[in-house]
Structures are given as C-alpha cells and as structure tokens.
Amino acid sequence: MLYRASTAWARVEVFCAATLAASVSGLILLNVVTRAMGNSIYWVDEAAIYAMVWMCFLAASAAVHHRSAVAVTLIPELAPARVGYVLGRFADLTVFVFAALLIWICWRWFMPLELARQGFDIKAFQGATFNFVYAEPTNTLGIKKVWVWLVVPVFAFGALLHATANLFHPAPAEEDTP
C-alpha cells in the first residue's frame, strides 16, 4: 500500500513538473516576443524562475521514487552483489534521514503551531516569533514568497514518502547482461 501511494504521488509530481516545464518554456517565449516588440512584461522572468524551482523540486522527489537520481555507482558495480545491495539500502536510509530532517527543518521554519496559537494573525505571529516567512512579498509578482517556499515542505513530504517506500520495497537486483 505504501509503495502504491508513493507511485501515485510520483505520478502527480511528474505531471506537475512536466506542466511547469511547459510553462517555463511558454514564459520564456512570451518574454522573448514581448522584448522583441519593445514591450516587455516585467514579472515574466520571476514567474519563469519560480516555475523552474518548483519543477526541479518536484522532479527531484519523483526521482527518489524511481531511484533515478544522479549517483556515483562505481563501488556498488565493482563490489560483490551483497555489498552492492547493502550500499543501496544505505543510500535509501540516507535519503530517508535527509527527508525526515528536512521535514523537521520545515516545521521549525514555518512554525504552524505558533501561527495557529496566534489565531492565524500574521502580524501577531511576526511579533511573537520574529519570523517573517508569511509576510515577505516577491519582487515583481506581488504574491507572498511563502507560496514559492511551500515547495520545500512538499518536496520533503514526497521525498520522505518515496524513501520510506523504498526502504520497504528494495530495488530489484539487476541482472548481468552481456
């Protein structure tokens, strides 16, 4: 069940990342056309950057599920099969620990319980915690940066889900092919 949830979440992440990749291309094309016409739209650059950031985080989380992230595989490939298996499990555990730590860091960064204690009043939250995560605006889009930064806890959740599923569903052994 956990692996199926991870698979479903990875599909959503890949779909969203692909949609964001298309939007980045569209935004860059819009920027080129409007600049060529001498009438550039000032917020397009920032929107393209944020779309690419979200795309990268979502794709990286999906890569954890598919075990397709960039890796140095020299030692596992040269080592006996059992050592390679243990190193793969160690890598899965390392990703799990990283994702769990990132969840904890996000919890400390966004401070949702303290925000709730302040009655979801942003100014009271800022006064009590000196945390301005919910108030800082983007430069040109005019939205709060928290909407951009939310990709970090979304990534952390996805990576933790995928890493947990990978721990309980080890990678199949690769067969030696000539």
Side-chain angles (χ1 to χ4, degrees):
M1 186 172 94
L2 182 63
Y3 192 75
R4 282 186 294 197
S6 174
T7 300
W9 187 254
R11 283 187 185 134
V12 170
E13 289 170 329
V14 168
F15 174 79
C16 291
T19 303
L20 287 165
S23 72
V24 168
S25 298
L27 287 166
I28 290 172
L29 182 61
L30 174 66
N31 199 13
V32 168
V33 169
T34 57
R35 283 185 187 211
M37 294 173 28
N39 200 12
S40 62
I41 304 172
Y42 65 94
W43 54 264
V44 172
D45 287 337
E46 188 175 39
I49 290 167
Y50 291 147
M52 185 166 350
V53 167
W54 268 78
M55 176 196 69
C56 290
F57 272 98
L58 293 173
S61 179
V64 172
H65 169 76
H66 294 290
R67 290 184 166 104
S68 62
V70 175
V72 178
T73 59
L74 180 66
I75 294 174
E77 288 174 358
L78 294 177
R82 181 72 184 148
V83 173
Y85 175 80
V86 169
L87 288 173
R89 303 301 287 160
F90 179 73
D92 289 340
L93 182 62
T94 302
V95 172
F96 175 83
V97 169
F98 169 77
L101 285 172
L102 192 56
I103 291 277
W104 178 75
I105 288 168
C106 288
W107 186 264
R108 302 254 336 213
W109 181 23
F110 287 93
M111 304 174 84
L113 291 181
E114 187 58 34
L115 181 62
R117 273 191 214 112
Q118 299 300 326
F120 297 97
D121 180 352
I122 303 299
K123 294 217 184 272
F125 172 78
Q126 290 172 187
T129 64
F130 296 105
N131 184 340
F132 300 92
V133 69
Y134 297 103
E136 189 174 344
T138 57
N139 292 328
T140 60
L141 289 174
I143 62 171
K144 302 293 183 196
K145 281 187 180 176
V146 69
W147 296 111
V148 177
W149 293 331
L150 279 175
V151 73
V152 180
V154 169
F155 165 77
F157 167 78
L160 186 65
L161 174 65
H162 301 319
T164 305
N166 287 348
L167 281 173
F168 291 107
H169 190 270
E174 293 183 25
E175 297 180 34
D176 292 21
T177 56

